Amino acid sequence: MPKTLTITRPDDWHIHLRDNAMLAAVVPATARVFARAIVMPNLQPPVITPAEANDYYWRIKAVIPVDSSFEPLMTLYLTDQTTPEMIHEAAAQGLVKACKLYPANATTNSAQGVTNLAALHEAFAAMADAGLLLLVHGEVTANDIDIFDREKAFIDQQLVPIVTNYPELKVVFEHITTSDAVEFVLAGGPNIAATITPQHLIYNRNHLLVGGIKPHNYCLPVLKRNTHQQALQAAVAGGSPKFFLGTDSAPHLQHTKENACGCAGCYSAPAALELYAEMFDQLGILDKLEAFACFNGPDFYGLPRNPDTLTLVRKPWQVPATVPVAGQPMVPFCAGETLQWQVL
């Protein structure tokens, strides 16, 4: 049983850094481990234009620790009004690497999301032409669709038409949660990939609902039954380059999670890589962690792999119970739990 594991420095291909005091509080946890991260644009107001992406980039850069070379990779928030001109301007600017499709009202800060895919016909074509990736939050929002079935319905109703109509467009199916999504990605062409979060690998819906609702395990897409969890585990064990690390780390203050609001999101950044190492170790596939965390993502995005390395050591440690944000507590994912792997 190995006591240390040295791998290429990884990247996080799906993260929420928020803004203002929250931004300053959470960036160091990600910059400590990851070289780059795809930063989600669902602020209030969202990052819709290239100019807004540029402004947000520099707000992030201002709070990166001085000893870190962490680089944020920016995204645009798609709306029904996104134009081809905005897409080409973003690509020419160089900071924006992808555009995010939130179905309107699907998750946190998505009220201004897309209501009509047809309105984005020219924008999708421009993205394919400019080399910007499409990142999708894969859930429909119709009230008559059960929350546990919304990912499968999104595949059938929206994702199949997108990949059929725009075969040259690179698409990342974000934070997949079901066997249906695994099967879709594996069956798709070389321009289809997916990110997998630590919470969906480690937990299933029992961890959200049994013994009382556990608000800090609530995220969207919601945790699914254990057979879907096992399908995700089988996907990473299979070693396909179509799957890569994207934490969807999503910070919320403790009082906004522990109330009727039910804010969706798990703040996993303080233990992100360690959580993946824990799961890969339990599955007996530690040898596959480096490709999943360090190679598959940059290869799909067409970016260079990172030149440096980091080392994890098998040394028990406890995830902190809370993390301070401007004097207020935030509860991280797996708070208080003992993990067996730790980044040196």
Side-chain angles (χ1 to χ4, degrees):
M1 184 176 293
K3 296 186 182 300
T4 63
L5 178 66
T6 297
I7 61 173
T8 301
R9 187 168 295 277
D11 303 299
D12 189 341
W13 297 99
H14 182 152
I15 196 166
H16 299 267
L17 297 177
R18 310 301 189 207
D19 214 344
N20 304 315
M22 183 70 80
L23 177 70
V26 304
V27 163
T30 293
R32 178 182 69 92
V33 173
F34 297 100
R36 298 169 292 198
I38 283 282
V39 181
M40 292 297 104
N42 58 332
L43 305 181
Q44 290 183 311
V47 178
I48 293 173
T49 69
E52 291 165 349
N54 180 74
D55 291 345
Y56 187 31
Y57 172 84
W58 288 109
R59 295 200 300 276
I60 297 170
K61 293 288 281 187
V63 297
I64 296 172
V66 294
D67 60 347
S68 171
S69 59
F70 173 72
E71 182 67 10
L73 307 176
M74 309 310 292
T75 60
L76 291 188
Y77 182 112
L78 292 174
T79 73
D80 294 348
Q81 290 75 45
T82 301
T83 66
E85 291 75 19
M86 294 163 66
I87 299 299
H88 285 294
E89 181 184 348
Q93 178 196 72
L95 296 178
V96 172
K97 304 301 181 186
C99 298
K100 182 64 180 277
L101 170 60
Y102 289 105
N105 301 308
T107 188
T108 303
N109 297 343
S110 61
Q112 293 175 252
V114 174
T115 66
N116 178 17
L117 283 182
L120 291 176
H121 169 74
E122 293 183 348
F124 287 152
M127 289 170 59
D129 180 61
L132 294 187
L133 280 69
L134 174 64
L135 317 180
V136 297
H137 180 108
E139 293 186 288
V140 298
T141 57
N143 290 333
D144 61 333
I145 304 295
D146 188 284
I147 192 170
F148 292 103
D149 298 330
R150 291 182 175 185
E151 186 169 275
K152 175 63 165 66
F154 179 86
I155 295 171
D156 297 338
Q157 297 175 19
Q158 299 189 33
L159 193 53
V160 168
I162 289 173
V163 301
T164 300
N165 293 331
Y166 309 96
E168 301 305 313
L169 179 62
K170 280 193 168 184
V171 178
V172 180
F173 197 169
E174 304 245 61
H175 45 46
I176 61 170
T177 66
T178 61
S179 59
D180 308 282
V182 171
E183 292 165 5
F184 176 84
V185 172
L186 287 174
N191 285 344
I192 311 299
T195 55
I196 301 178
T197 75
Q199 62 264 28
H200 292 110
L201 279 176
I202 295 170
Y203 284 168
N204 58 62
R205 65 189 188 183
N206 281 357
H207 297 91
L208 174 64
L209 300 171
V210 172
I213 295 174
K214 300 172 179 62
H216 298 287
N217 292 345
Y218 174 58
C219 57
L220 288 172
V222 71
L223 297 171
K224 303 299 195 296
R225 65 171 63 246
N226 65 342
T227 52
H228 291 299
Q229 175 196 17
Q230 290 162 9
L232 299 181
Q233 293 173 354
V236 297
S240 169
K242 285 174 163 281
F243 303 105
F244 43 88
L245 185 155
T247 63
D248 192 21
S249 180
H252 294 279
L253 294 175
Q254 183 173 1
H255 76 270
T256 66
K257 292 284 288 180
E258 297 176 6
N259 70 12
C261 161
C263 288
C266 300
Y267 178 52
S268 58
L273 187 61
E274 292 92 338
L275 288 164
Y276 285 109
E278 192 99 350
M279 189 73 256
F280 276 61
D281 195 10
Q282 291 176 20
L283 294 172
I285 56 168
L286 269 178
D287 60 313
K288 291 183 167 64
L289 179 62
E290 185 174 39
F292 174 81
C294 314
F295 299 158
N296 299 347
D299 291 354
F300 189 77
Y301 272 77
L303 296 172
R305 297 176 180 182
N306 295 315
D308 56 332
T309 63
L310 60 70
T311 298
L312 296 109
V313 59
R314 191 185 295 275
K315 179 181 180 182
W317 68 288
Q318 192 173 61
V319 180
T322 61
V323 175
V325 180
Q328 299 188 71
M330 178 166 60
V331 178
F333 185 58
C334 290
E337 294 190 22
T338 299
L339 303 182
Q340 300 305 312
W341 285 96
Q342 185 173 9
V343 175
L344 283 179

